[in-house]
Amino acid sequence: MAAENPFNAILKTLEKPNGGEFGKYYCLPALNDPRIDKLPYSIKILLESAIRNCDEFQVKSKDVEKIIDWENTSPKQVEIPFKPARVLLQDFTGVPAVVDLACMRDAMNKLGGDSNKINPLVPVDLVIDHSVQVDVARSENAVQANMELEFQRNKERFAFLKWGSTAFDNMLVVPPGSGIVHQVNLEYLGRVVFNKNGMLYPDSVVGTDSHTTMIDGLGVAGWGVGGIEAEAAMLGQPMSMVLPGVVGFKLLGKLMDGVTATDLVLTVTQMLRKHGVVGKFVEFYGEGMSELSLADRATIANMSPEYGATMGFFPVDHVTLQYLQLTGRSDDTIAMIESYLRANKMFVDYNEPQIEKVYSSYLELKLEDVEPCISGPKRPHDRVPLKEMKADWHACLDNRVGFKGFAIPKESQNKVAKFSFHGTPAELRHGDVVIAAITSCTNTSNPSVMLGAAVVAKKACELGLEVKPWIKTSLAPGSGVVTKYLQKSGLQKYLNQLGFHIVGYGCTTCIGNSGDIDESVASAISENDMVAAAVLSGNRNFEGRVHPLTRANYLASPPLVVAYALAGTVDIDFETEPIGKGKDGKEIFFRDIWPSSEEVANVVQSSVLPDMFKATYQAITKGNPMWNELSVPSSNLYAWDPTSTYIHEPPYFKDMTMSPPGPHGVKDAYCLLNFGDSITTDHISPAGSIHKDSPAAKFLLEHGVDRRDFNSYGSRRGNDEIMARGTFANIRLVNKLVKGEVGPKTIHIPTAEKLSVYDAAMRYKTAGQDTIILAGAEYGSGSSRDWAAKGPMLLGVKAVIAKSFERIHRSNLVGMGIVPLCFKPGEDAETLGLTGHERYTIDLPSSVSEIRPGQDVTVATDTGKSFTCTVRFDTEVELAYFNHGGILQYVIRNLIGSKQ
């Protein structure tokens, strides 16, 4: 049982400079351990949490010692518990989280426990930001029109979340129309240091969106976890994690004139991908830090998932304090933050001599070496210097189909598709831009790139340049602050003139909420098999994510999005070819519209003011008329509506008893799918539109839902019946069992029939036959999507055998009772001669006490082949989850008080 904290001897009082006290805190220097001074700042946050929560039960003294001895223990993959200060949700992941909590209350009730024990024990911040579809663009009324449609489609979901905010303690819901979760977190929710009931401690957060890492730019330790793991953290369970290595990334010098934070982050992403940082923290330091604004730091931190790190951490310094002041945090709060961090030696003061930190490995970047660039056409880390873009594009047309190839025959590369756009003759070529979106938390929180885009628009308008009317242009700010400073600068009108009207406040194109493109454009693309392009200031450009018809998707800074929209194509060399012709017929080049860094800095200085942040966030929790009109029941238990196609009670706790079911092996399983490398969570569980011929569409039509009201998979994550049907429903899925075909199909091995993945899975399930999945490297990369584990579990998948897993997805699989296994180095399905037509048996001991984290097991097939794999249960706690049939079942039994 829990005992008194053994570290209470270092509990000190933090005095205010002018008398009085801020509160109590656990003082790390009072341990008098020289090893602590050398620890990376990010590891000190883990250390403080372990010390403060040490009860010799969930967190033990030996865990604290492991963290203090990080230099020696981190290479050994030791396990530690971590209790984050709070949990962050957005609505796509928030709805299933609240569904699960409501379900757990019901299960608790049925098992005779106290359902009120199912309550968040740490603050939960839920921002509704993923529901904005860009239905209306290039219109002064876009924001209101899109919001009305958003409420029509999502009224039921929003009411459910509003119920959750009243039914559960400690839950703040930020209404739709407020902004993107990560920008709201940065500008408003981030505490940096908590003062809870007189106890001071560093803010730390786990979020159900992989870009939670954006808050690392503010010196708050935060990263993405699966929804399942986040729910356990909400309920007071410590997160079990492997003590990470930390890569020290030294920044030197300053960026060259005209180079943006986006160019920097794409460069950093490529460097870190190459270095290999999966499962590690990255900590930035060096003299170049003083040249990076907080917004630039947040841009780099945001893309941690794209470079593969758990965190990209920037310790708190004077730049952080200035940003807190700019964003309207009170002087008292900022004084408390600085005093606490200085007292605990967690503040970086560049005016003082720096104690050299020890890192696991080191990287260095001279900021002056960064050059303008974009990334694509299918992955965020495939960086292309702007000057090489035209050559790279032509290579992509030539190359065989892959991450950098479309295999367009030479004779078809100059093809022109002629069409009529609302009565006007129009043409499309390979590489023509059909979507240009200033979007995504990565960039919309950064005034320099947002105002930079506006300056580009102004110069272009003054020179007489225009954007072709069939390009779907949009601007989706991450918070109302952006609108305020664009209006204050007087530059919004130029963005409007080019079609970049504000469409809403939230995640749009980057998450796949692009809305439809004009029918005439869509027909021209599909009928002529054109490789159309989207250019967006986002962080994800995986195939099939942005829009089903844009096969080439490039990530670029907001000003470059405007430039490519004006050019109308990615097939251009900006150095030598004109972007277009001005009003006097004169050729206009990129250099004519590109602003200097000083030009942009002057606009930022005069336009971005603290009052804008205060005004925006004072109003944020008041909601808007449509939100405030939603009426919700006041009951503690949710009244499930069996006819609802948005909120449905999932079967996770059906027939659950107090006795854990124990571990399961796999016997004579069929292979449901056979994949290559880089299968993302977008492939496994799409968030975008529901295809008209999919099993999910069939289900919705059968339940009386009109096609125009399908909404997206992301918005229907509260309904397990739709999400199970949407599992592996990505139209760009490449499954080796269906040779040479792209799409959500597979072969039902016993009958050799080609079926949708869902239908094949249901056949196996009905026949009582287990299934497994074969995969290559980086299985489950991309967004931290709990449905990418819940969906396969509901389809009856018992194990995934892959070359490697993305960190969050692997833990999600474990959380849902699916066994993750890794091929031995140098081996995969191909080298072992596996076709996927075999039947697979995986022998696991029947007692969890006989299974060790990372042990080897034999996989046998009915063809006589057998091979060895590593079981990827990485910690003892994960084994406990597996023993209970999943993390949620473990928590319920734990809360009722069953024997573990």
Side-chain angles (χ1 to χ4, degrees), residues 643-786:
T643 64
S644 171
T645 56
Y646 274 106
I647 309 295
H648 183 263
E649 184 175 13
Y652 310 140
F653 309 114
K654 199 179 172 189
D655 306 324
M656 179 181 166
T657 66
M658 285 301 296
S659 302
H664 64 80
V666 178
K667 188 158 177 60
D668 290 332
Y670 285 99
C671 177
L672 180 64
L673 295 145
N674 183 2
F675 291 130
D677 294 344
S678 295
I679 291 295
T680 70
T681 51
D682 276 303
H683 290 114
I684 305 167
S685 183
S689 57
I690 297 171
H691 194 272
K692 61 183 173 61
D693 300 322
S694 65
K698 188 181 171 194
F699 175 87
L700 287 166
L701 289 168
E702 285 169 358
H703 284 75
V705 179
D706 194 86
R707 192 184 152 200
R708 68 172 178 270
D709 297 322
F710 278 2
N711 214 331
S712 64
Y713 282 115
S715 65
R716 295 210 178 253
R717 281 188 191 155
N719 189 307
D720 56 284
E721 293 185 309
I722 291 166
M723 295 310 293
R725 286 165 173 80
T727 303
F728 298 111
N730 189 304
I731 59 166
R732 298 286 174 203
L733 199 70
V734 178
N735 170 19
K736 293 178 188 176
L737 292 177
V738 190
K739 291 173 184 167
E741 193 174 319
V742 175
K745 300 283 185 185
T746 195
I747 300 296
H748 179 251
I749 306 294
T751 60
E753 275 184 79
K754 184 165 72 174
L755 301 168
S756 74
V757 177
Y758 174 78
D759 290 339
M762 289 305 103
R763 278 221 197 153
Y764 288 126
K765 211 172 173 182
T766 306
Q769 294 160 336
D770 289 349
T771 54
I772 60 113
I773 289 169
L774 294 175
E778 297 178 338
Y779 182 77
S781 55
S783 303
S784 56
R785 201 161 285 173
D786 56 338

Side-chain angles (χ1 to χ4, degrees), residues 122-166:
V122 299
V124 176
D125 300 321
L126 195 161
V127 181
I128 301 176
D129 73 337
H130 270 50
S131 308
V132 188
Q133 289 274 354
V134 187
D135 292 295
V136 180
R138 300 186 79 139
S139 158
E140 297 282 355
N141 303 318
V143 174
Q144 186 62 23
N146 286 327
M147 187 174 266
E148 284 172 7
L149 286 165
E150 183 183 356
F151 266 83
Q152 278 172 31
R153 291 187 186 116
N154 298 288
K155 189 175 179 181
E156 198 179 334
R157 294 169 61 243
F158 293 170
F160 177 67
L161 290 174
K162 197 171 179 182
W163 168 81
S165 71
T166 59

Side-chain angles (χ1 to χ4, degrees), residues 278-351:
V278 172
K280 297 186 174 101
F281 289 175
V282 176
E283 188 164 295
F284 293 89
Y285 70 106
E287 64 190 54
M289 291 278 279
S290 57
E291 294 294 333
L292 282 186
S293 71
L294 196 292
D296 290 355
R297 296 173 184 194
T299 302
I300 296 169
N302 176 284
M303 282 190 76
S304 296
E306 283 66 48
Y307 43 81
T310 305
M311 278 208 300
F313 189 74
F314 290 81
V316 176
D317 60 14
H318 285 106
V319 174
T320 322
L321 300 181
Q322 286 161 9
Y323 181 80
L324 292 171
Q325 211 162 16
L326 171 69
T327 50
R329 271 77 164 199
S330 73
D331 291 344
D332 284 352
T333 299
I334 296 168
M336 180 266 291
I337 289 168
E338 183 175 3
S339 297
Y340 170 82
L341 294 173
R342 282 187 183 277
N344 249 343
K345 296 195 175 175
M346 296 164 97
F347 185 86
V348 183
D349 190 333
Y350 295 106
N351 297 321

Side-chain angles (χ1 to χ4, degrees), residues 235-275:
L235 295 165
Q237 295 295 309
M239 284 174 46
S240 181
M241 62 185 284
V242 172
L243 186 60
V246 182
V247 178
F249 198 123
K250 192 173 191 177
L251 297 170
L252 300 164
K254 63 183 288 188
L255 293 171
M256 299 286 278
D257 190 47
V259 174
T260 68
T262 318
D263 301 323
L264 172 58
V265 73
L266 295 178
T267 305
V268 167
T269 297
Q270 188 181 44
M271 284 177 72
L272 286 168
R273 266 278 171 189
K274 194 175 174 186
H275 186 75

Side-chain angles (χ1 to χ4, degrees), residues 422-733:
H422 301 279
T424 306
E427 294 180 348
L428 266 187
R429 293 173 172 78
H430 292 299
D432 276 8
V433 175
V434 296
I435 290 175
I438 300 174
T439 178
S440 165
C441 51
T442 309
N443 286 293
T444 66
S445 59
N446 194 324
S448 64
V449 291
M450 296 301 283
L451 286 164
V455 174
V456 169
K458 178 177 186 279
K459 287 172 180 277
C461 289
E462 287 170 348
L463 289 166
L465 291 176
E466 293 177 350
V467 173
K468 292 185 179 78
W470 57 83
I471 297 176
K472 188 165 189 177
T473 44
S474 62
L475 165 60
S479 82
V481 175
V482 179
T483 306
K484 286 183 170 66
Y485 65 63
L486 282 172
Q487 286 170 345
K488 166 84 174 152
S489 69
L491 298 173
Q492 178 66 55
K493 63 184 178 189
Y494 299 108
L495 286 164
N496 289 354
Q497 201 174 318
L498 297 182
F500 287 95
H501 296 82
I502 294 175
V503 294
Y505 299 89
C507 285
T508 56
T509 308
C510 190
I511 189 72
N513 290 353
S514 311
D516 292 333
I517 54 177
D518 191 87
E519 274 182 32
S520 63
V521 180
S523 299
I525 295 168
S526 45
E527 287 167 15
N528 296 281
D529 198 25
M530 303 304 288
V531 183
V535 183
L536 63 151
S537 64
N539 47 48
R540 295 265 163 84
N541 56 343
F542 302 127
E543 206 171 0
R545 178 183 175 105
V546 172
H547 191 282
L549 293 177
T550 57
R551 277 194 274 168
N553 301 282
Y554 286 93
L555 305 181
S557 66
L560 274 177
V561 171
V562 176
Y564 274 109
L566 290 161
T569 180
V570 295
D571 184 7
I572 183 171
D573 180 343
F574 278 144
E575 287 192 13
T576 60
E577 296 178 271
I579 278 181
K581 288 190 175 172
K583 46 193 167 194
D584 55 2
K586 184 185 165 193
E587 289 186 333
I588 308 295
F589 287 83
F590 179 78
R591 58 184 169 269
D592 300 323
I593 61 169
W594 200 253
S596 69
S597 299
E598 187 183 3
E599 218 175 325
V600 174
N602 289 338
V603 181
V604 171
Q605 188 69 33
S606 60
S607 306
V608 185
L609 307 170
D611 285 351
M612 295 174 177
F613 292 89
K614 285 179 184 162
T616 299
Y617 289 112
Q618 275 167 359
I620 200 165
T621 50
K622 293 176 185 169
N624 53 63
M626 286 183 274
W627 172 261
N628 295 336
E629 283 165 16
L630 291 175
S631 61
V632 296
S634 56
S635 56
N636 179 22
L637 297 173
Y638 188 69
W640 303 98
D641 175 2
T643 64
S644 171
T645 56
Y646 274 106
I647 309 295
H648 183 263
E649 184 175 13
Y652 310 140
F653 309 114
K654 199 179 172 189
D655 306 324
M656 179 181 166
T657 66
M658 285 301 296
S659 302
H664 64 80
V666 178
K667 188 158 177 60
D668 290 332
Y670 285 99
C671 177
L672 180 64
L673 295 145
N674 183 2
F675 291 130
D677 294 344
S678 295
I679 291 295
T680 70
T681 51
D682 276 303
H683 290 114
I684 305 167
S685 183
S689 57
I690 297 171
H691 194 272
K692 61 183 173 61
D693 300 322
S694 65
K698 188 181 171 194
F699 175 87
L700 287 166
L701 289 168
E702 285 169 358
H703 284 75
V705 179
D706 194 86
R707 192 184 152 200
R708 68 172 178 270
D709 297 322
F710 278 2
N711 214 331
S712 64
Y713 282 115
S715 65
R716 295 210 178 253
R717 281 188 191 155
N719 189 307
D720 56 284
E721 293 185 309
I722 291 166
M723 295 310 293
R725 286 165 173 80
T727 303
F728 298 111
N730 189 304
I731 59 166
R732 298 286 174 203
L733 199 70

